[in-house]
């Protein structure tokens, strides 16, 4: 990946962070770049095909991490309906962090 491509991916990651979203590759080239950054430790992958910069992900509390995952799955599967603790979190209700390990659909 060229320097221009790396800078573009940095902008993509920054834009996703501003929206409270995870980065999902839009092409095979982006997927390879993110996989390489994952292997180097710069990025994390909280779910298959979803990435976040490690420093950003580490700064999030468990509720914010859960919301990022829910929004990622919602983007990938627009027909899914979220339930249980995931739905409660989406409605802004307080949910114990210990109950946020799974996304409920």
């Amino acid at each position: 990946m060229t320097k221009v491509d790396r800078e573009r991916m940095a902008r993509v990651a920054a834009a996703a962070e501003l929206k409270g979203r995870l980065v999902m590759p839009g092409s095979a080239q982006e997927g390879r770049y993110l996989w390489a950054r994952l292997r180097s430790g710069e990025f994390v992958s909280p779910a298959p095909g979803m990435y976040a910069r490690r420093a950003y992900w580490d700064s999030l509390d468990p509720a914010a991490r859960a919301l990022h995952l829910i929004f990622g799955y919602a983007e990938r599967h627009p027909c899914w309906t979220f339930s249980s603790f995931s739905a409660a979190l989406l409605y802004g209700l307080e949910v114990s962090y210990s109950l946020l390990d799974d996304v409920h659909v």
Side-chain angles (χ1 to χ4, degrees):
M1 203 171 234
T2 67
K3 180 181 177 185
V4 172
D5 291 330
R6 284 191 299 274
E7 291 171 353
R8 185 177 62 76
M9 285 304 298
R11 286 192 304 274
V12 167
E17 292 167 5
L18 284 174
K19 294 178 182 177
R21 301 291 191 265
L22 294 168
V23 178
M24 291 190 272
S27 67
Q29 183 180 13
E30 287 180 4
R32 286 190 299 275
Y33 173 81
L34 290 166
W35 178 252
R37 298 288 67 80
L38 177 69
R39 293 184 67 200
S40 74
E42 183 182 341
F43 277 72
V44 296
S45 180
M50 298 181 204
Y51 302 87
R53 289 192 273 201
R54 178 175 299 281
Y56 175 72
W57 187 252
D58 289 346
S59 73
L60 299 175
D61 65 36
R65 288 179 180 189
L67 283 171
H68 279 66
L69 284 169
I70 293 166
F71 290 137
Y73 284 120
E75 184 176 330
R76 185 173 287 161
H77 304 282
C79 293
W80 282 12
T81 301
F82 297 91
S83 62
S84 187
F85 302 117
S86 298
L89 199 59
L90 287 168
Y91 278 106
L93 301 174
E94 290 187 26
V95 178
S96 173
Y97 289 166
S98 66
L99 301 173
L100 298 176
D101 291 337
D102 297 318
V103 174
H104 300 272
V105 180

